[in-house]
Amino acid sequence: RINASAPRGINRAEYYIDGNLIATNNSFPFNLEKDIGFLKNGFHNLKVRVCDDIDNCSEQSFEFNLILDGENRVSNDINISWLKPANGDSINRVNFPVNIEIKTSNPIQTARIDVFLQSEKSEPALIASLGPIENEIASGNWKAVPTPGAYKLYGEAHSWSGQIKKSEEITVMIGN
């Protein structure tokens, strides 16, 4: 439960565990009730960020020690695979923003999926961070339009237990 106020009123509350967005609440009283049994026992950071309608935000965080009886209730293993765009797709500049869809084998254990773009001559660049992951299909938008050419796309799924799993790389062509 939170208690927050702002001159323009509260528009939303965002909840983060260990730096990963787990939920956003857009309805008064902006509280959150969520099962966190997917986390490992130990210390975690909870950050609550509240914002008004023009994104004036304030946040507060604290550490908590989670102690669950028995072992974790879910498998820690995660795997991801591409759905959209598909390997070999040609995308024109007018098609942006492009919808990204990645399937995860274990949505409960997937904290976020970072999507990277890489040309032959450049370092990978983060183009989207998908989360919170609430079902098997994580989606988001690729907004920035790169220069025309061939690019590799890949995703990195980050689990709540610290595992990082890279997807296969796909190639897309960006045209004018």
Side-chain angles (χ1 to χ4, degrees), residues 138-166:
S139 63
N141 287 316
W142 173 9
K143 297 176 183 173
V145 182
T147 58
Y151 292 89
K152 292 191 182 295
L153 289 174
Y154 66 91
E156 284 184 355
H158 296 257
S159 78
W160 291 106
S161 63
Q163 178 187 17
I164 299 174
K165 188 71 169 211
K166 184 178 173 181

mmCIF file of all heavy atoms in Angstrom, residues 138-166:
data_model
loop_
_atom_site.group_PDB
_atom_site.id
_atom_site.type_symbol
_atom_site.label_atom_id
_atom_site.label_comp_id
_atom_site.label_asym_id
_atom_site.label_seq_id
_atom_site.Cartn_x
_atom_site.Cartn_y
_atom_site.Cartn_z
ATOM 1 N N ALA A 138 5.835 -11.562 -25.317
ATOM 2 C CA ALA A 138 6.236 -10.221 -24.892
ATOM 3 C C ALA A 138 6.270 -9.346 -26.128
ATOM 4 O O ALA A 138 6.795 -9.751 -27.168
ATOM 5 C CB ALA A 138 7.610 -10.275 -24.237
ATOM 6 N N SER A 139 5.703 -8.147 -26.044
ATOM 7 C CA SER A 139 5.665 -7.290 -27.220
ATOM 8 C C SER A 139 6.044 -5.864 -26.865
ATOM 9 O O SER A 139 5.958 -5.432 -25.719
ATOM 10 C CB SER A 139 4.284 -7.331 -27.880
ATOM 11 O OG SER A 139 3.315 -6.829 -26.997
ATOM 12 N N GLY A 140 6.469 -5.146 -27.887
ATOM 13 C CA GLY A 140 6.840 -3.748 -27.741
ATOM 14 C C GLY A 140 7.089 -3.164 -29.114
ATOM 15 O O GLY A 140 6.818 -3.796 -30.129
ATOM 16 N N ASN A 141 7.622 -1.942 -29.135
ATOM 17 C CA ASN A 141 7.853 -1.258 -30.402
ATOM 18 C C ASN A 141 9.316 -0.916 -30.597
ATOM 19 O O ASN A 141 9.986 -0.484 -29.666
ATOM 20 C CB ASN A 141 7.033 0.039 -30.471
ATOM 21 C CG ASN A 141 5.567 -0.243 -30.679
ATOM 22 O OD1 ASN A 141 5.203 -1.071 -31.494
ATOM 23 N ND2 ASN A 141 4.726 0.447 -29.935
ATOM 24 N N TRP A 142 9.771 -1.093 -31.818
ATOM 25 C CA TRP A 142 11.078 -0.642 -32.274
ATOM 26 C C TRP A 142 10.809 0.703 -32.925
ATOM 27 O O TRP A 142 10.231 0.790 -34.001
ATOM 28 C CB TRP A 142 11.634 -1.665 -33.242
ATOM 29 C CG TRP A 142 12.896 -1.318 -33.951
ATOM 30 C CD1 TRP A 142 13.734 -0.263 -33.724
ATOM 31 C CD2 TRP A 142 13.469 -2.050 -35.037
ATOM 32 N NE1 TRP A 142 14.797 -0.296 -34.592
ATOM 33 C CE2 TRP A 142 14.653 -1.389 -35.412
ATOM 34 C CE3 TRP A 142 13.104 -3.197 -35.720
ATOM 35 C CZ2 TRP A 142 15.463 -1.835 -36.443
ATOM 36 C CZ3 TRP A 142 13.910 -3.646 -36.740
ATOM 37 C CH2 TRP A 142 15.080 -2.976 -37.099
ATOM 38 N N LYS A 143 11.194 1.785 -32.235
ATOM 39 C CA LYS A 143 10.798 3.126 -32.656
ATOM 40 C C LYS A 143 11.814 3.836 -33.538
ATOM 41 O O LYS A 143 11.445 4.467 -34.517
ATOM 42 C CB LYS A 143 10.502 3.984 -31.421
ATOM 43 C CG LYS A 143 9.331 3.450 -30.626
ATOM 44 C CD LYS A 143 9.106 4.254 -29.371
ATOM 45 C CE LYS A 143 7.966 3.633 -28.569
ATOM 46 N NZ LYS A 143 7.794 4.257 -27.291
ATOM 47 N N ALA A 144 13.092 3.763 -33.191
ATOM 48 C CA ALA A 144 14.116 4.517 -33.921
ATOM 49 C C ALA A 144 14.391 3.878 -35.277
ATOM 50 O O ALA A 144 14.633 2.677 -35.370
ATOM 51 C CB ALA A 144 15.401 4.586 -33.101
ATOM 52 N N VAL A 145 14.364 4.681 -36.324
ATOM 53 C CA VAL A 145 14.575 4.188 -37.685
ATOM 54 C C VAL A 145 16.073 4.209 -37.998
ATOM 55 O O VAL A 145 16.688 5.270 -38.011
ATOM 56 C CB VAL A 145 13.822 5.072 -38.706
ATOM 57 C CG1 VAL A 145 14.004 4.521 -40.119
ATOM 58 C CG2 VAL A 145 12.351 5.186 -38.346
ATOM 59 N N PRO A 146 16.675 3.031 -38.251
ATOM 60 C CA PRO A 146 18.100 3.017 -38.607
ATOM 61 C C PRO A 146 18.301 3.375 -40.083
ATOM 62 O O PRO A 146 17.351 3.396 -40.859
ATOM 63 C CB PRO A 146 18.507 1.566 -38.334
ATOM 64 C CG PRO A 146 17.255 0.786 -38.540
ATOM 65 C CD PRO A 146 16.115 1.687 -38.134
ATOM 66 N N THR A 147 19.544 3.622 -40.441
ATOM 67 C CA THR A 147 19.844 3.874 -41.856
ATOM 68 C C THR A 147 19.612 2.587 -42.648
ATOM 69 O O THR A 147 19.700 1.484 -42.102
ATOM 70 C CB THR A 147 21.300 4.349 -42.026
ATOM 71 O OG1 THR A 147 22.178 3.362 -41.486
ATOM 72 C CG2 THR A 147 21.543 5.683 -41.332
ATOM 73 N N PRO A 148 19.327 2.698 -43.933
ATOM 74 C CA PRO A 148 19.097 1.489 -44.730
ATOM 75 C C PRO A 148 20.297 0.542 -44.690
ATOM 76 O O PRO A 148 21.443 0.966 -44.591
ATOM 77 C CB PRO A 148 18.883 2.043 -46.140
ATOM 78 C CG PRO A 148 18.358 3.425 -45.925
ATOM 79 C CD PRO A 148 19.096 3.923 -44.704
ATOM 80 N N GLY A 149 20.002 -0.757 -44.722
ATOM 81 C CA GLY A 149 21.056 -1.764 -44.717
ATOM 82 C C GLY A 149 20.592 -3.039 -44.050
ATOM 83 O O GLY A 149 19.428 -3.194 -43.678
ATOM 84 N N ALA A 150 21.519 -3.978 -43.885
ATOM 85 C CA ALA A 150 21.248 -5.267 -43.247
ATOM 86 C C ALA A 150 21.602 -5.182 -41.762
ATOM 87 O O ALA A 150 22.643 -4.633 -41.402
ATOM 88 C CB ALA A 150 22.056 -6.368 -43.920
ATOM 89 N N TYR A 151 20.748 -5.738 -40.928
ATOM 90 C CA TYR A 151 20.951 -5.712 -39.475
ATOM 91 C C TYR A 151 20.631 -7.068 -38.871
ATOM 92 O O TYR A 151 19.780 -7.801 -39.387
ATOM 93 C CB TYR A 151 20.051 -4.666 -38.821
ATOM 94 C CG TYR A 151 20.417 -3.254 -39.176
ATOM 95 C CD1 TYR A 151 19.867 -2.647 -40.296
ATOM 96 C CD2 TYR A 151 21.304 -2.529 -38.390
ATOM 97 C CE1 TYR A 151 20.195 -1.347 -40.633
ATOM 98 C CE2 TYR A 151 21.635 -1.230 -38.712
ATOM 99 C CZ TYR A 151 21.083 -0.636 -39.833
ATOM 100 O OH TYR A 151 21.416 0.654 -40.157
ATOM 101 N N LYS A 152 21.302 -7.355 -37.777
ATOM 102 C CA LYS A 152 20.965 -8.518 -36.960
ATOM 103 C C LYS A 152 20.194 -8.022 -35.741
ATOM 104 O O LYS A 152 20.522 -6.981 -35.168
ATOM 105 C CB LYS A 152 22.219 -9.256 -36.517
ATOM 106 C CG LYS A 152 22.961 -9.925 -37.654
ATOM 107 C CD LYS A 152 24.024 -10.858 -37.137
ATOM 108 C CE LYS A 152 24.802 -11.480 -38.263
ATOM 109 N NZ LYS A 152 24.063 -12.333 -39.118
ATOM 110 N N LEU A 153 19.168 -8.776 -35.366
ATOM 111 C CA LEU A 153 18.396 -8.506 -34.157
ATOM 112 C C LEU A 153 18.515 -9.718 -33.251
ATOM 113 O O LEU A 153 18.512 -10.863 -33.723
ATOM 114 C CB LEU A 153 16.910 -8.300 -34.477
ATOM 115 C CG LEU A 153 16.485 -7.033 -35.186
ATOM 116 C CD1 LEU A 153 15.002 -7.104 -35.540
ATOM 117 C CD2 LEU A 153 16.744 -5.816 -34.323
ATOM 118 N N TYR A 154 18.634 -9.477 -31.956
ATOM 119 C CA TYR A 154 18.574 -10.566 -30.991
ATOM 120 C C TYR A 154 18.011 -10.039 -29.682
ATOM 121 O O TYR A 154 18.013 -8.839 -29.418
ATOM 122 C CB TYR A 154 19.939 -11.238 -30.798
ATOM 123 C CG TYR A 154 21.008 -10.375 -30.159
ATOM 124 C CD1 TYR A 154 21.187 -10.368 -28.771
ATOM 125 C CD2 TYR A 154 21.849 -9.588 -30.937
ATOM 126 C CE1 TYR A 154 22.172 -9.578 -28.197
ATOM 127 C CE2 TYR A 154 22.831 -8.809 -30.367
ATOM 128 C CZ TYR A 154 22.991 -8.805 -28.998
ATOM 129 O OH TYR A 154 23.959 -8.029 -28.420
ATOM 130 N N GLY A 155 17.511 -10.956 -28.886
ATOM 131 C CA GLY A 155 16.975 -10.602 -27.585
ATOM 132 C C GLY A 155 17.776 -11.255 -26.480
ATOM 133 O O GLY A 155 18.393 -12.303 -26.689
ATOM 134 N N GLU A 156 17.777 -10.611 -25.321
ATOM 135 C CA GLU A 156 18.377 -11.186 -24.122
ATOM 136 C C GLU A 156 17.315 -11.180 -23.029
ATOM 137 O O GLU A 156 16.871 -10.114 -22.612
ATOM 138 C CB GLU A 156 19.590 -10.386 -23.648
ATOM 139 C CG GLU A 156 20.823 -10.612 -24.458
ATOM 140 C CD GLU A 156 22.038 -9.880 -23.908
ATOM 141 O OE1 GLU A 156 21.905 -9.103 -22.932
ATOM 142 O OE2 GLU A 156 23.131 -10.081 -24.460
ATOM 143 N N ALA A 157 16.917 -12.381 -22.603
ATOM 144 C CA ALA A 157 15.948 -12.508 -21.525
ATOM 145 C C ALA A 157 16.692 -12.545 -20.198
ATOM 146 O O ALA A 157 17.670 -13.274 -20.050
ATOM 147 C CB ALA A 157 15.122 -13.781 -21.701
ATOM 148 N N HIS A 158 16.230 -11.748 -19.266
ATOM 149 C CA HIS A 158 16.810 -11.695 -17.922
ATOM 150 C C HIS A 158 15.814 -12.317 -16.954
ATOM 151 O O HIS A 158 14.667 -11.870 -16.882
ATOM 152 C CB HIS A 158 17.097 -10.245 -17.516
ATOM 153 C CG HIS A 158 18.119 -9.591 -18.381
ATOM 154 N ND1 HIS A 158 19.419 -9.400 -17.975
ATOM 155 C CD2 HIS A 158 18.052 -9.091 -19.648
ATOM 156 C CE1 HIS A 158 20.099 -8.808 -18.938
ATOM 157 N NE2 HIS A 158 19.293 -8.617 -19.968
ATOM 158 N N SER A 159 16.255 -13.340 -16.231
ATOM 159 C CA SER A 159 15.361 -13.998 -15.286
ATOM 160 C C SER A 159 15.482 -13.336 -13.918
ATOM 161 O O SER A 159 16.445 -12.635 -13.623
ATOM 162 C CB SER A 159 15.677 -15.489 -15.174
ATOM 163 O OG SER A 159 16.824 -15.685 -14.363
ATOM 164 N N TRP A 160 14.496 -13.571 -13.086
ATOM 165 C CA TRP A 160 14.511 -13.041 -11.721
ATOM 166 C C TRP A 160 15.641 -13.658 -10.913
ATOM 167 O O TRP A 160 16.098 -13.073 -9.942
ATOM 168 C CB TRP A 160 13.167 -13.281 -11.042
ATOM 169 C CG TRP A 160 12.078 -12.450 -11.636
ATOM 170 C CD1 TRP A 160 11.083 -12.878 -12.456
ATOM 171 C CD2 TRP A 160 11.893 -11.043 -11.482
ATOM 172 N NE1 TRP A 160 10.288 -11.827 -12.822
ATOM 173 C CE2 TRP A 160 10.754 -10.686 -12.229
ATOM 174 C CE3 TRP A 160 12.576 -10.041 -10.790
ATOM 175 C CZ2 TRP A 160 10.278 -9.381 -12.296
ATOM 176 C CZ3 TRP A 160 12.102 -8.745 -10.863
ATOM 177 C CH2 TRP A 160 10.968 -8.423 -11.599
ATOM 178 N N SER A 161 16.125 -14.834 -11.329
ATOM 179 C CA SER A 161 17.206 -15.487 -10.585
ATOM 180 C C SER A 161 18.588 -15.089 -11.096
ATOM 181 O O SER A 161 19.593 -15.603 -10.629
ATOM 182 C CB SER A 161 17.038 -17.005 -10.655
ATOM 183 O OG SER A 161 17.144 -17.451 -11.994
ATOM 184 N N GLY A 162 18.653 -14.191 -12.105
ATOM 185 C CA GLY A 162 19.937 -13.719 -12.598
ATOM 186 C C GLY A 162 20.404 -14.363 -13.885
ATOM 187 O O GLY A 162 21.435 -13.982 -14.427
ATOM 188 N N GLN A 163 19.677 -15.331 -14.393
ATOM 189 C CA GLN A 163 20.043 -15.984 -15.647
ATOM 190 C C GLN A 163 19.814 -15.021 -16.816
ATOM 191 O O GLN A 163 18.842 -14.269 -16.829
ATOM 192 C CB GLN A 163 19.191 -17.243 -15.835
ATOM 193 C CG GLN A 163 19.434 -17.983 -17.123
ATOM 194 C CD GLN A 163 18.446 -19.130 -17.341
ATOM 195 O OE1 GLN A 163 17.396 -19.205 -16.711
ATOM 196 N NE2 GLN A 163 18.782 -20.019 -18.248
ATOM 197 N N ILE A 164 20.715 -15.035 -17.796
ATOM 198 C CA ILE A 164 20.534 -14.275 -19.030
ATOM 199 C C ILE A 164 20.574 -15.275 -20.182
ATOM 200 O O ILE A 164 21.519 -16.046 -20.311
ATOM 201 C CB ILE A 164 21.628 -13.200 -19.217
ATOM 202 C CG1 ILE A 164 21.585 -12.195 -18.074
ATOM 203 C CG2 ILE A 164 21.455 -12.499 -20.567
ATOM 204 C CD1 ILE A 164 22.709 -11.180 -18.100
ATOM 205 N N LYS A 165 19.533 -15.268 -20.984
ATOM 206 C CA LYS A 165 19.437 -16.203 -22.105
ATOM 207 C C LYS A 165 19.282 -15.420 -23.396
ATOM 208 O O LYS A 165 18.375 -14.612 -23.530
ATOM 209 C CB LYS A 165 18.229 -17.126 -21.894
ATOM 210 C CG LYS A 165 18.121 -18.242 -22.871
ATOM 211 C CD LYS A 165 19.202 -19.270 -22.625
ATOM 212 C CE LYS A 165 18.933 -20.506 -23.424
ATOM 213 N NZ LYS A 165 19.403 -21.697 -22.799
ATOM 214 N N LYS A 166 20.189 -15.647 -24.345
ATOM 215 C CA LYS A 166 20.165 -14.939 -25.627
ATOM 216 C C LYS A 166 19.345 -15.731 -26.639
ATOM 217 O O LYS A 166 19.437 -16.958 -26.707
ATOM 218 C CB LYS A 166 21.596 -14.749 -26.123
ATOM 219 C CG LYS A 166 21.701 -13.936 -27.394
ATOM 220 C CD LYS A 166 23.162 -13.755 -27.801
ATOM 221 C CE LYS A 166 23.253 -13.088 -29.164
ATOM 222 N NZ LYS A 166 24.631 -12.917 -29.606
#
